[in-house]
Amino acid sequence: ALAALHKVVAERSSGLLLFGSAIIGEHSAIDLVAASLALTEHAGPAVRIMPRNRSTPAKDWQVPEAIKQLPFLPSIESAYDQGYRRMIFDLNYTKAELLLEFGKDVLLIAGTYGCEVEDVFMSSMRGGGSLAESELLALVIAILSVKPVLGKHGQTVASDLFVMQQESGPIQPMKFEDIVKLLQENRILRWQDEMASLLDSGDVTAAILKKALPRDRSISEFLSQRAATKKPASALR
């Protein structure tokens, strides 16, 4: 995914750059967010936005060192007023209206739990209406979601990557189901293809996948479809 992300991010200094992971954690996909800092330096100094006032503030610092080193400000508004235009924020505690307000002037980067690109995008719609869905989509630079699995030869991932193509023109108001269809049909990396390759190589097995990603409902459907398509082929042998 790196080459594709590098190309599209280099052309943009504002919008939404979203990451997701099928692994649930306190800071899901934070490793991808941290890695994106090197790709987005052209957008200016980076800042991290405080998601909320915690009763356990130490958890705010259970992040990669690159994230720890960033200034930690209380809000997108305060960071904007201080001149920051590259912001790491938490999708789970940020309303869609705030993303719409600042997304045309600021590079907004976030990680969240999400098994596929549409799951990650849905997390951005918090508090937004049907109109906000299309407006948010217009701000998207790229969405990358990963399914990390510990295979026979170590950690590996299957990636789901959507990159907004600028030549597609302005985004018109769309129904939510059409947005999901657009995201799915215009992925440049499909997790299904990458997972099939891992299974074919023997690096992972169906049992490993089910154990590693028990909350990922798409895995069961994927494995069922894969088994159904293989049965006729095996019957011919």
Side-chain angles (χ1 to χ4, degrees), residues 17 41 82 85 101 194 225:
L17 184 57
E41 290 181 344
Q82 294 184 47
R85 297 297 183 267
E101 181 180 353
E194 299 206 334
Q225 291 177 347

Side-chain angles (χ1 to χ4, degrees), residues 27-50:
H27 302 281
S28 292
I30 194 65
D31 54 335
L32 298 177
V33 172
S36 75
L37 291 174
L39 299 178
T40 57
E41 290 181 344
H42 63 282
V47 64
R48 180 164 60 126
I49 306 302
M50 185 181 297

Side-chain angles (χ1 to χ4, degrees), residues 50-196:
M50 185 181 297
R52 67 195 191 282
N53 291 316
R54 293 177 179 269
S55 58
T56 54
K59 290 184 178 179
D60 284 328
W61 303 100
Q62 296 173 356
V63 294
E65 192 61 35
I67 303 292
K68 290 180 184 178
Q69 293 176 2
L70 299 178
F72 198 25
L73 298 186
S75 66
I76 289 177
E77 296 93 329
S78 63
Y80 188 87
D81 289 342
Q82 294 184 47
Y84 289 100
R85 297 297 183 267
R86 184 168 50 136
M87 304 182 191
I88 307 296
F89 72 102
D90 192 320
L91 272 177
N92 297 314
Y93 297 94
T94 308
K95 290 186 177 180
E97 60 189 31
L98 202 58
L99 304 182
L100 292 173
E101 181 180 353
F102 290 95
K104 292 181 180 179
D105 298 317
V106 174
L107 183 57
L108 296 164
I109 308 171
T112 188
Y113 169 73
C115 299
E116 302 173 38
V117 293
E118 63 266 28
D119 297 333
V120 179
F121 179 73
M122 281 190 280
S123 294
S124 73
M125 301 187 311
R126 196 170 304 280
S130 57
L131 180 60
E133 297 169 359
S134 298
E135 292 180 344
L136 282 168
L137 180 63
L139 293 175
V140 168
I141 300 171
I143 305 174
L144 172 64
S145 180
V146 298
K147 297 179 187 288
V149 180
L150 186 61
K152 295 179 180 179
H153 304 291
Q155 183 79 11
T156 187
V157 298
S159 300
D160 216 33
L161 176 61
F162 169 84
V163 170
M164 182 63 76
Q165 304 297 331
Q166 292 301 298
E167 58 269 21
S168 61
I171 299 294
Q172 302 299 322
M174 302 170 65
K175 295 180 180 179
F176 176 69
E177 54 266 31
D178 293 328
I179 290 177
V180 171
K181 183 178 180 181
L182 182 148
L183 291 170
Q184 291 180 338
E185 293 184 351
N186 291 275
R187 291 173 293 169
I188 61 175
L189 290 177
R190 299 174 70 254
W191 72 264
Q192 293 94 333
D193 297 336
E194 299 206 334
M195 196 66 79

